[in-house]
Structure formats: structure tokens, C-alpha cells
Amino acid sequence: MTERILRANGVDLCVETFGSPADPAVLLIAGASGSMLSWGDEFCVRLAAAARYVIRYDHRDTGRSVTYPPGEPGYEFLDLVADAVGVLDALAVSQAHVVGISMGGGIAQLVALDFADRVVSLTLISTSPAGPGEPDLPPMSPALVEYFAGGGMSAPDWGDRDAVVEYLVAAERPFAGARPVDVGAAREVAGRVFDRAVNIASSGNHFRVGGGESWRGRLASTKVPTLVVHGDVDPLVPLGHAEAMVREVPGARLVVLEDTGHELPSGVWDVVISALVEHTGGEGRVGAPGRAEVLDRIRRLGEFDMSAAFERLYAAASRGEVEVPWARDEPHQLILERFKDVDGAGKRALVVGAGYGQDAGFLAGLGFDTIGFDISPTAVAVARERFPAARFLVADLLDPPSEWWGAFDLVVEVLIAQSLPAAVRATGIAHTRRFVAPGGTLVVLASARDDDETVEGPPWPLVRAEVESYADDDLRAVLVDRTGNRWWAEFRRDQR
């Protein structure tokens, strides 16, 4: 997963993603005063494991996103709607399955109505077509009416972590159903909410936001498949609100959560995740991005969880759902030409980022004792089946086995460093050079760019200085050749 501050809709919002950018996107929108942690970590991980690219974010005035003085929100409800679309823009997501809870469900409704071309499906949890107080909809429970009439809970000292944690935990109780509450887990989450907040006192600003005129009369024009999920004992917006939503949104269907209030407790995650996976395409690829969008999504992320992203991409390719953009059916032509007459008997070779194994399989055929490694277990499994003469292992270039240092007579790196974000590229290059044994050779093939040429990437073609940086005190460059838009470089380690 990755968490970062992105510029969205003209403000700074903290966004976190789970899973592969190659999968259909699911945007999770929290309720009033809720940060991204309203969506549990495990909930997001499990949804991502069902081949979904899960996105959660901190609303304004929550978590690490932009904040305003307590009691003085500098925005209106429609700005929160535009923020949701801005998050998609910032991550290069053209369309998403949009999921909102409580106030987030209201935001989701307007995203589907006002930005219909950005929404593949809509899921509305614990929400309403109109909100509490609409005369034709069930009112709040008497207990909750009495709670609000009494002024609710007194605000804590917002600078006192323990007091705020207890306040946040207690504030959920009037809205909960009959399910047992894991108080320890609730306190842990509340502590994280406090620790992440730029200004925890500002989270109440959502209740002062204006500009959310009723859109109930427009719900009949909703064009996307809609799932309504609601607790059977919701005291704030009782089940009748969900039933009205199903009547007013064409084709909407309802899933009722037993013993559940205005909440999404872990005890209902099995039901909700199963319903979400089915609604967003089952095992299919509804809303899956094309190749250009996948690369753009990765570029927008910058540094990302490479193990998750590459594995999800290779796994999707193994199911026939996408193509791996850099996959080749044959060894690279330059590798074929350079090594076709080489006898590798008695020598060890290492292929960095072996992918589906073509280059490693070729070197093994020349007699090299060859290891090809990749961060993706799926890619390694495919390579093992296709090229049994080589050994293929799952490993991370940024954290490789220490026994590989200085262990290989030939190291081959084809288009790998250029796939690494700038912050870790130098580390990848340094590790690659360390694999070379005394007297050994390193071969590097990379796309090329000029020093003054800017690229958005990935990939990020290498400048000459980056290619030359593979050398060190006793690993000397014997060839650095640029032909058009590619580098071919060879380095040789001195004998010791």
C-alpha cells in the first residue's frame, strides 16, 4: 500500500492505495468527520486481494489532508464532491467503482449524478436519499433524538490524546447496533486517528458545511448499477431510507446487515466484501484500465509498493485479463547477438528482473549456471515452467540475498533500473553492480534520454551519468554505447 499527499481539486489531500494499478479501481469515501481510517486496513487489503485497486483518502479537515480552523470550514459540500473526483484525477483513474458510507454516500450519489462518465458502479452504505428529517422517511430512533436533545457528548481537550481516544470510542456507541464491540481494537484505531490528524479538532467542521441542496429528485436519472447496503437497526437513518433509495434509483438492489447500526463493523465485512466483489464485476474485469492508463497510474503514484503492483499485474496477465507491457516472447535481440557464441560452462549468471525468463533461459542454454529473479511470484512460476534449465527465485532488487554479493561471472540487467522511481534507482544500480564477481561482467541495456530531457515515466530512460554510475573502483566500463534511444553498456570487474 502507498500513502501520500496529492494535489486534488486545488487542495492537498492524503491518499492511500491498495493493490495493483492494473486492476479496476474502487474509490472509498468516508462519512462526516471520518478520515481514511473509517475503512479498515484489513477491509481494504481483502478487497484488493479480489483484484481491485482500492483507494481511500482523508477528507478535508481529517487525517493528513488540508485543514481549516475549527468551526470555520473554508469549503462547501460540493467541494467535497469535487474532491472525490480530484482524487481520481490525481491517480490517473478515468473510471472507478464508487463506494460511500453515511455522508460519503451522499457524496457518492452526487459523483454518480454530476460526473457519471467517471463512475462504473455505485455502492451506498448507511446513507439516505435525503437525510434525517425528511417527512416521508422514518425519523431517528427515540434514543438518538434524546441523545442529541441532551447535547450529545461534551468535547474533550483536543490536545489530550487519551481523552480524545476515549471520546472517539464513546462517540460511536449511540450509532451502533447490537453486535459486540472490540473496545481494544476501537481504541487502537482511535489512537491512529489522533496520531495522523493535523488538527483533530477541525474534523467537526463537516457538520457546519453548507451548499448540499437536495438532489433526491434527480436520483431517478442515476445511470450506473447501484448497490445499497444498510444496517437493520440504524438509529440515525433507519432501514426505510435504504428501501426508499432502492425504489428511487433504477435497478438498485439492497443488502441488509443484521444487528447493524449506522456503522461498518468488522463482523459484517465478509458479507459486504462479497457483495462488493460481485457488484464490481465478480471475477471479471469491469472497469479495468487499458495499458496506457495502467502506466499513467503507476507514474502518478511515483514510489509505490512494487511487490504488490508487479505481482497484481502479472497475476492479472496469467488470467488473460491484461498484457504485461514489457513482456517479450524471445530473448532480447542484443543479448542473442552478444552471447550466441559464448560457452557458459562452469560460470554463474544472474538475470535481474527476469520476468517471464526468456533471457535467463537463453543463458542457461549456453551452459551458464543461471539464476533469474523477479519480485513477482507469478512471473517466477511462469518462468520456471517455461525454462526449467534455469533457476528462478522470488527476490527484491532493493533487498537481495547477501550471498549474491560478488557471486556471478555474468550479470544481465535489461530495462530494470529505468522502471524504478528516482528515490530508489541509485540503490537498485548499486546492488546490481555488487552482484559481479572478480573477473566478471555486467551487461546493461536501457532506454536513453538526454540530460535536459524530462519524462513523466514510467519508464524513466537513463541519462549517461546514470549508466556510468554502474561502475565503481574495480568495476570498469569497457563499453558505453548509445544508439538512438537505447544504451548498451558493459562493465568488467578486476581480478583480485
Side-chain angles (χ1 to χ4, degrees), residues 122 124 219-220 222 224 226 228 244-253:
L122 182 63
L124 306 172
L219 289 175
T222 305
V224 298
T226 301
V228 178
M245 186 80 73
V246 171
R247 289 194 300 270
E248 296 173 30
V249 175
R253 68 183 184 92

Side-chain angles (χ1 to χ4, degrees), residues 409-456:
D409 303 290
L410 174 64
V411 177
V412 173
E413 194 260 77
V414 177
L415 308 178
I416 300 302
Q418 68 185 52
S419 71
L420 300 176
V424 297
R425 193 175 308 139
T427 299
I429 289 172
H431 288 177
T432 299
R433 83 165 74 94
R434 291 186 67 186
F435 297 139
V436 183
T441 297
L442 167 64
V443 171
V444 175
L445 178 63
S447 300
R449 66 181 173 92
D450 297 326
D451 291 344
D452 59 355
E453 181 182 356
T454 59
V455 293
E456 293 184 345

Side-chain angles (χ1 to χ4, degrees), residues 371-419:
I371 292 176
F373 77 90
D374 200 279
I375 203 166
S376 164
T378 297
V380 166
V382 172
R384 286 172 177 167
E385 183 175 349
R386 295 181 65 183
F387 303 102
R391 287 180 291 154
F392 293 95
L393 303 173
V394 177
D396 185 350
L397 176 59
L398 302 180
D399 186 24
S402 59
E403 62 266 25
W404 287 1
W405 299 143
F408 297 94
D409 303 290
L410 174 64
V411 177
V412 173
E413 194 260 77
V414 177
L415 308 178
I416 300 302
Q418 68 185 52
S419 71

